[in-house]
Amino acid sequence: GENVEQHPSTLSVQEGDSAVIKCTYSDSASNYFPWYKQELGKGPQLIIDIRSNVGEKKDQRIAVTLNKTAKHFSLHITETQPEDSAVYFCAARKAAGNKLTFGGGTRVLVKP
Amino acid sequence: NAGVMQNPRHLVRRRGQEARLRCSPMKGHSHVYWYRQLPEEGLKFMVYLQKENIIDESGMPKERFSAEFPKEGPSILRIQQVVRGDSAAYFCASSPGYEKLFFGSGTQLSVL
């Protein structure tokens, strides 16, 4: 089955700096890659997603890149703010209707 | 449009008791997924259901765990004869059948 690896497991950045989280996946049939943000005591919240026919997608301070050949994708957060502190999860999925396989998560701490 | 509703938010059971977790998907969503999250860990897939059908239960333990999504009413995750190792946060997600999954706030199960 699909296996998703996520790095780093923890990331501490100064407010205003950028944060980058990287994920690799094993199944070349995966074609959908969402990112979720989970705050303490809450459920994961979808923040951005990308499909395999797109190489990059941006939404304000958040961007995701995908390299299908290398089977890796990354989340970029620019101009980080304290409210960006949370655990971020990447995931991969083969086709609509199939399960999402999640990475192990990255705990991001933005220091004011 | 209300989000995915899970109840209860917190559930305490003694070893050997039964736990019933409920999930009402977003309006118009007919696909439900259950995930389990242990402390400081990622989200592990358990089961994927559509109305009255179990589509994928590859992540469900073979014994004591069952899930249903009846024609009317919420999806239920049932854990019989709970043990301490069942203590975790259980998240439900729903989708309309396309890629995006939307998660509820979870049920924190504590087994004494």
Side-chain angles (χ1 to χ4, degrees):
Chain A
E2 175 68 281
N3 183 47
V4 179
E5 299 283 342
Q6 183 171 347
H7 299 281
S9 56
T10 59
L11 180 59
S12 182
V13 297
Q14 207 65 39
E15 182 177 358
D17 288 350
S18 295
V20 179
I21 304 170
K22 298 181 178 182
C23 289
T24 59
Y25 60 98
S26 61
D27 193 334
S28 57
S30 290
N31 61 2
Y32 174 67
F33 308 93
W35 287 86
Y36 286 83
K37 175 183 180 182
Q38 186 177 28
E39 297 176 326
L40 191 63
K42 297 184 178 180
Q45 179 186 9
L46 179 66
I47 57 172
I48 195 169
D49 57 5
I50 191 168
R51 292 169 180 78
S52 59
N53 59 346
V54 175
E56 183 176 0
K57 184 177 179 180
K58 288 184 179 180
D59 183 3
Q60 299 183 343
R61 297 186 296 107
I62 293 173
V64 59
T65 59
L66 171 65
N67 183 326
K68 286 191 298 182
T69 302
K71 291 191 285 188
H72 67 71
F73 55 113
S74 301
L75 179 72
H76 304 250
I77 307 173
T78 58
E79 302 173 16
T80 55
Q81 301 167 4
E83 52 264 39
D84 294 329
S85 296
V87 179
Y88 291 81
F89 291 97
C90 64
R93 185 176 188 174
K94 284 198 287 187
N98 284 346
K99 62 190 179 188
L100 283 176
T101 299
F102 283 84
T106 297
R107 183 175 300 277
V108 174
L109 175 63
V110 180
K111 295 181 286 186
Chain B
N1 188 10
V4 179
M5 303 300 293
Q6 289 189 249
N7 67 81
R9 287 281 281 133
H10 301 276
L11 182 61
V12 179
R13 285 288 178 266
R14 296 190 180 278
R15 282 178 293 171
Q17 292 184 321
E18 178 180 288
R20 293 171 67 88
L21 288 61
R22 296 175 183 78
C23 169
S24 295
M26 290 178 69
K27 187 177 181 180
H29 289 194
S30 59
H31 298 240
V32 166
Y33 302 77
W34 285 92
Y35 283 80
R36 178 164 61 178
Q37 185 176 38
L38 294 170
E40 304 299 319
E41 293 190 12
L43 295 142
K44 302 299 183 186
F45 169 78
M46 298 183 73
V47 63
Y48 162 39
L49 311 101
Q50 294 181 24
K51 283 286 187 179
E52 300 184 277
N53 288 300
I54 297 174
I55 308 302
D56 181 353
E57 56 181 349
S58 59
M60 285 275 273
K62 298 298 182 193
E63 298 179 352
R64 303 187 298 109
F65 285 72
S66 62
E68 63 177 6
F69 189 17
K71 185 177 181 180
E72 302 291 338
S75 175
I76 305 289
L77 179 67
R78 182 184 179 202
I79 311 173
Q80 295 178 291
Q81 300 173 350
V82 296
V83 300
R84 287 197 173 140
D86 297 333
S87 295
Y90 292 82
F91 289 97
C92 167
S94 74
S95 85
Y98 310 112
E99 294 98 341
K100 297 184 190 294
L101 262 64
F102 298 91
F103 281 82
S105 297
T107 293
Q108 181 65 51
L109 173 64
S110 298
V111 179
L112 304 180

